[in-house]
Amino acid sequence: MYHNNDTQSFGFATCRERWPKILSQAKSDVLAESTENEHSKQSTETIVKGIEQILDDIASDVPLRTFTKDELQAMGPDNQLEFFNEVIEGLAGDERKWLKGPWLFIECYLYRLLDVIIKTNGWTQFDIFERLKRETFMGSRGGVEEIALAHYKRSKETSVPTEEQMKLLFEEFIDISLWGNATDLSLLANATLEDIQSLQGAKARSAASDKILCNDLPKAWERLRAAKDGRIDIVLDNAGFEFYTDLALMLFLLDSELVKEVVFHCKCRPWMVSDTMIKDYALWVEDMKTMAETSSNKDALLHFVSSVEDYHSKGQFKLVDDEFWTGGMDYWNLSPKETKYGGKQLHEYLSQSTLVIFKGDLNYRKLTGDRMWDRSTPFNVAIGDLAHSGIPVLALRTCKADVCAGLPKGKDEELCKLWEEMGHEVGALWCSSGKWAVVSFNCS
Ligand code: F6P
Ligand code: MG
């Protein structure tokens, strides 16, 4: 497993540089919220102090604290904080410290701690990352219009696509949704809107086509075509532009009657800065309408929104959430054996799906247990027990962390060398740059 003191790992810089930046930004957003809306002075101060305490604890590398009895009680019985306590209590010595322990677990714990501090001070409906998510979406106009226009045009076509055309369209929408993940706010903390825009749109995608290092999409297509009246589940990642690209994929799947139903799985709480919560859907509708008001492509934007809302109201498109996605467990626990934290129920549901698409980097880390796999390890080995769970897994991931599997032999070595030649000190960090991607499928 990757640890925060592995100097060759992206975790090393993440906990020392990125987390403090994200937390400082969060502190400013709390202060801004307290002046815009009515909150008691005391609650604002306590939340700010709580965030400062985390910043201090990280800087001085103290051992992780468990959640208190009061916090457990205040947050309610179902929210899996006990699991975090169990794990923390089991971490010995340096393993329990902020800058030395297991990266993935501590990263999840960090966002849970932030959530607890905010909610136990009465700000139960406040999404600390909402402003950032919405602002970035509003800055994605170019990419948004391009996709809406293509959808508008297609909705007017009367000819039925051939099987081959359908396959090509499927590949295109998967591509759009895959690279939509390149605009993740936790990584782009310092990026300008121009930087972000350059990652969106057809041109950027076609330039990146040789950056997909392994591609199991044909197998996923076969499974999709063999199913009748199926259901696709998408375990979402980020709100904003990525969510919009996931909606474009959903529209394609339902418009072309490839499946009967598409279900989006969201997070129950603010998560890893940009992740999607159910309430972000209504905000997206609002933002699209605002964007349309000043757009020369108003009709296309509004048509996109009404098509989505139509499927939503008919129940063919659903948004659900589950505590499991913001728990501390990896996805090997999506299993009948996991009876305490919801793994069993989710397993039952997801194993009936035609395809379960896991979006983004964090989901990929949880699929592979964030273990230090040799990067040519077959995907079905790297996902452990999940490979035999009956859940049809399709991972769409731009690589933004160390773990990776399924690469052809020699590819990792080649990219390590290339990355060093490009002037980077640690070659292995090519895999955390967000410039390459993997599309991996497994079904038992
Ligand atoms: O801090 C690292 C991380 O958890 C990585 O997995 C990734 O860099 C980012 O945060 C989240 O990325 P994504 O939104 O694609 O899951
Ligand atoms: Mg994310």
Side-chain angles (χ1 to χ4, degrees):
M1 228 175 260
Y2 289 94
H3 279 67
N4 288 344
N5 57 354
D6 297 335
T7 52
Q8 307 276 304
S9 159
F10 187 49
F12 193 86
T14 289
C15 60
R16 286 164 180 79
E17 291 159 27
R18 286 173 59 225
W19 292 351
K21 247 185 229 156
I22 289 167
L23 289 168
S24 304
Q25 176 70 58
K27 200 173 98 176
S28 315
D29 280 353
V30 167
L31 291 170
E33 163 72 13
S34 76
T35 52
E36 277 163 31
N37 291 305
E38 252 182 50
H39 293 287
S40 72
K41 196 166 164 251
Q42 197 204 339
S43 68
T44 310
E45 277 172 14
T46 321
I47 294 173
V48 168
K49 267 198 199 127
I51 298 176
E52 285 169 348
Q53 183 67 54
I54 310 179
L55 278 160
D56 281 353
D57 288 352
I58 295 176
S60 34
D61 196 18
V62 300
L64 309 180
R65 73 159 175 90
T66 49
F67 292 103
T68 65
K69 275 213 180 87
D70 285 350
E71 285 170 338
L72 293 185
Q73 212 178 0
M75 297 298 290
D78 297 330
N79 66 41
Q80 318 210 349
L81 291 181
E82 272 171 34
F83 176 77
F84 284 88
N85 281 357
E86 281 166 31
V87 175
I88 292 171
E89 274 153 13
L91 293 171
D94 275 357
E95 281 265 303
R96 190 165 164 170
K97 292 188 178 162
W98 277 97
L99 300 178
K100 301 196 178 67
W103 177 21
L104 177 59
F105 173 75
I106 299 184
E107 191 152 45
C108 295
Y109 166 78
L110 166 67
Y111 287 91
R112 292 307 297 250
L113 195 55
L114 196 57
D115 187 56
V116 165
I117 290 170
I118 291 170
K119 292 216 170 85
T120 52
N121 280 288
W123 294 27
T124 49
Q125 301 306 312
F126 176 60
D127 173 359
I128 195 159
F129 303 121
E130 186 174 294
R131 187 194 53 77
L132 205 57
K133 290 192 262 191
R134 293 183 83 176
E135 270 178 14
T136 322
F137 180 69
M138 293 307 273
S140 307
R141 182 185 286 271
V144 171
E145 290 187 346
E146 191 178 311
I147 290 172
L149 273 172
H151 178 259
Y152 196 42
K153 219 170 98 194
R154 254 194 331 278
S155 70
K156 293 189 169 144
E157 276 167 9
T158 46
S159 60
V160 183
T162 63
E163 182 66 17
E164 190 50 30
Q165 284 167 333
M166 194 92 112
K167 183 166 180 248
L168 284 173
L169 280 169
F170 176 66
E171 284 166 2
E172 173 76 7
F173 280 100
I174 289 287
D175 222 37
I176 291 173
S177 163
L178 166 69
W179 291 112
N181 179 256
T183 53
D184 150 40
L185 299 178
S186 78
L187 273 187
L188 293 174
N190 297 319
T192 62
L193 279 182
E194 216 175 303
D195 290 337
I196 295 173
Q197 280 154 6
S198 73
L199 294 165
Q200 300 166 346
K203 256 197 210 142
R205 282 196 310 279
S206 95
S209 63
D210 61 333
K211 300 280 177 3
I212 300 177
L213 302 172
C214 58
N215 195 346
D216 292 338
L217 204 56
K219 287 191 236 160
W221 173 250
E222 255 172 51
R223 176 167 169 99
L224 179 57
R225 288 313 272 148
K228 262 220 161 309
D229 296 339
R231 183 188 81 218
I232 288 202
D233 289 276
I234 307 187
V235 182
L236 293 184
D237 188 2
N238 304 316
F241 187 72
E242 178 172 359
F243 177 67
Y244 177 71
T245 62
D246 297 331
L247 289 170
L249 173 63
M250 175 278 290
L251 284 180
F252 162 71
L253 292 166
L254 293 178
D255 285 347
S256 52
E257 298 180 0
L258 279 165
V259 286
K260 265 255 144 54
E261 196 183 344
V262 178
V263 179
F264 278 13
H265 297 261
C266 307
K267 305 293 189 300
C268 292
R269 56 180 50 76
W271 195 243
M272 304 275 159
V273 185
S274 20
D275 284 27
T276 314
M277 298 167 65
I278 292 183
K279 57 100 186 150
D280 290 326
Y281 171 64
L283 299 178
W284 170 79
V285 172
E286 210 179 298
D287 288 343
M288 283 291 283
K289 290 183 178 165
T290 310
M291 204 186 270
E293 275 165 27
T294 53
S295 170
S296 50
N297 297 304
K298 185 174 180 182
D299 290 352
L301 292 181
L302 294 180
H303 177 74
F304 191 99
V305 178
S306 64
S307 309
V308 171
E309 284 191 297
D310 231 29
Y311 283 127
H312 191 230
S313 63
K314 283 193 280 192
Q316 277 184 274
F317 163 51
K318 292 193 182 95
L319 297 118
V320 297
D321 60 14
D322 195 288
E323 287 286 342
F324 189 85
W325 307 120
T326 53
M329 285 185 164
D330 61 39
Y331 297 163
W332 302 13
N333 289 291
L334 287 170
S335 146
K337 287 189 216 144
E338 202 299 293
T339 52
K340 199 167 167 194
Y341 296 108
K344 180 176 187 281
Q345 287 84 338
L346 267 178
H347 171 267
E348 218 166 274
Y349 179 80
L350 295 175
S351 52
Q352 286 159 22
S353 180
T354 304
L355 213 52
V356 185
I357 302 180
F358 288 86
K359 295 286 321 279
D361 195 77
L362 185 79
N363 279 326
Y364 189 87
R365 291 173 71 194
K366 287 197 168 189
L367 286 171
T368 54
D370 213 34
R371 304 285 200 283
M372 298 170 103
W373 301 109
D374 179 296
R375 288 173 178 160
S376 62
T377 307
F379 182 65
N380 64 359
V381 174
I383 59 173
D385 291 346
L386 195 58
H388 318 288
S389 65
I391 298 177
V393 175
L394 175 65
L396 302 183
R397 180 240 188 168
T398 54
C399 307
K400 301 183 209 158
D402 305 280
V403 63
C404 195
L407 301 193
K409 279 239 172 308
K411 197 68 193 173
D412 181 35
E413 292 75 0
E414 183 191 316
L415 290 171
C416 286
K417 197 163 158 261
L418 176 74
W419 198 242
E420 277 172 23
E421 281 165 9
M422 286 167 75
H424 301 281
E425 206 176 309
V426 182
L429 287 181
W430 67 263
C431 195
S432 305
S433 67
K435 295 194 185 316
W436 284 273
V438 286
V439 176
S440 296
F441 174 75
N442 178 78
C443 184
S444 49

